[in-house]
Amino acid sequence: MKKLTENPLKCPKCGNESSSIVKAVPKGTKLVLINRCPSCKVKNKVILDFNNKEDWIDYVGEAFFTCDLCGAINKDNIAGYTYLGRGYSSWNSFQQSKKIVFRCDKCNNKRVKVTTGDFWREIEPYGRKKEKEPIEEKIPEELTCPKCKEPISKEDKVCKNCGIELICNKCGAPLVPGSNFCSNCGDPVETFDIEPEEVGEMVCPSCNEPVENDQIYCDRCGQELKCDKCGERLLEGASFCRECGDPIVKGELDI
C-alpha cells in the first residue's frame, strides 16, 4: 500500500496547504471531496481511497473544520445539523447527506459543510479542542539523615537528632552518606554532641498548676495527668487514654 507523501488537499492552483472541504461524501470504497481554497477561492474535486484512510484522515479532519473564506480552523463551535432541504433535526439515517453548520471564530461568517452521518462520526473528533492533560504535582521527597534516618532539612549542617555532620564545616560541600572524609577537601566527618532541648514548665491542663513530669494526678484539682493504669501521658482534653482506653479522671476545684 503506497503511503501519501504530501497533503492530498493542496490547492492545485496556488499551492495553499490549508484547503477547506465544503463537501465530503463516501461512495463505495471512495471518498469524494469538494474543496475550496481560502486563498484563491478555486474549487476542486479530490477522490480518496478508503483503503488508505489512515494516510489522509488527519488532512481531511482538519480541512473539514477549516473556514473556506478566511482559512481559520474552527473547534467546538458547531451550530447544528440539518437534513438537506429540511430544518434542524437529529440524524435518523447515517447514510443521508447532512449539512453541518458552524460560525467561524475568526471571520464570524456562518459556514455550511455537507457530509453523511457515517463519515461525520469519523471526522467529528477533529472539531473538538483537545483537553490539556493535568500536570501532576510532584511531592518533594522527605530528606532523612543517612545515619539515624530522622527527618532533616536542606539547610541542616548537622543532624539535630544524632549529631552527624551533613555539610562539610571546612569547604561547605555536601557530605556523601557513610563517608568518613569530605570527598571535596578531605576534612574528617565529625559527629557532634546534641544538647537535649529544654522542656518548658509543665502545668495542669485543668487548673494551670505547675506539675512534675512524672506526676500522675494534679495535687490541686485532682486532674489525671498520666494514665494510672498504663502510665501513658494523657492528651489534653481527652476523656480516655489513647493507649489502654481507661477513663480519665477530670480535675475539680472547690470554689
Side-chain angles (χ1 to χ4, degrees):
M1 187 181 295
K2 188 176 180 180
K3 196 171 182 69
L4 299 178
T5 57
E6 62 178 20
N7 187 350
L9 309 181
K10 183 177 179 180
C11 178
K13 182 178 180 181
C14 69
N16 182 17
E17 295 277 351
S18 302
S19 286
S20 172
I21 295 174
V22 295
K23 188 174 183 180
V25 179
K27 290 188 177 181
T29 61
K30 306 294 182 182
L31 177 66
V32 180
L33 303 174
I34 303 299
N35 306 328
R36 186 185 187 199
C37 177
S39 297
C40 66
K41 310 305 179 187
V42 168
K43 285 187 177 181
N44 70 298
K45 183 178 181 180
V46 175
I47 299 177
L48 299 174
D49 192 335
F50 273 109
N51 292 322
N52 300 327
K53 186 179 73 172
E54 66 274 10
D55 295 331
W56 49 255
I57 188 63
D58 289 341
Y59 292 114
V60 172
E62 184 172 292
F64 193 87
F65 294 97
T66 298
C67 177
D68 60 310
L69 295 182
C70 68
I73 298 175
N74 289 264
K75 303 283 186 180
D76 290 339
N77 65 350
I78 302 299
Y81 318 109
T82 178
Y83 288 104
L84 286 177
R86 295 168 61 181
Y88 289 105
S89 175
S90 60
W91 289 358
N92 297 319
S93 171
F94 285 109
Q95 298 301 321
Q96 287 182 283
S97 292
K98 313 292 190 297
K99 290 181 180 179
I100 313 298
V101 183
F102 69 90
R103 187 173 294 279
C104 180
D105 288 330
K106 185 177 180 180
C107 67
N108 202 36
N109 286 298
K110 185 181 286 187
R111 309 310 300 151
V112 176
K113 305 296 181 87
V114 177
T115 189
T116 58
D118 51 359
F119 191 65
W120 170 249
R121 290 185 295 181
E122 298 271 0
I123 59 174
E124 187 268 339
Y126 291 90
R128 295 197 299 260
K129 293 179 181 178
K130 292 183 179 179
E131 295 182 1
K132 293 183 178 179
E133 296 183 0
I135 300 175
E136 293 185 5
E137 184 178 351
K138 293 184 178 180
I139 301 175
E141 295 183 4
E142 185 182 58
L143 298 176
T144 57
C145 172
K147 183 178 180 181
C148 68
K149 307 304 179 184
E150 286 295 311
I152 58 174
S153 69
K154 292 189 294 184
E155 292 75 24
D156 288 338
K157 294 183 178 181
V158 175
C159 175
K160 296 176 181 178
N161 182 63
C162 68
I164 189 70
E165 191 177 4
L166 304 171
I167 303 295
C168 180
N169 274 330
K170 185 175 181 180
C171 70
L175 297 172
V176 178
S179 59
N180 295 320
F181 297 90
C182 174
S183 60
N184 188 56
C185 68
D187 195 54
V189 176
E190 299 182 57
T191 300
F192 299 90
D193 293 329
I194 302 298
E195 295 182 3
E197 295 183 1
E198 293 185 5
V199 179
E201 184 182 45
M202 296 185 64
V203 296
C204 171
S206 178
C207 66
N208 292 323
E209 180 78 7
V211 294
E212 299 295 331
N213 185 47
D214 58 351
Q215 204 168 323
I216 296 178
Y217 293 97
C218 173
D219 294 334
R220 185 184 181 202
C221 69
Q223 170 72 37
E224 191 174 358
L225 306 171
K226 293 178 70 175
C227 180
D228 60 1
K229 184 176 180 180
C230 69
E232 179 73 11
R233 171 64 61 182
L234 300 174
L235 297 176
E236 185 175 344
S239 298
F240 297 89
C241 173
R242 62 177 177 175
E243 183 66 25
C244 68
D246 194 52
I248 296 173
V249 177
K250 300 293 184 179
E252 295 181 1
L253 286 174
D254 294 331
I255 300 175

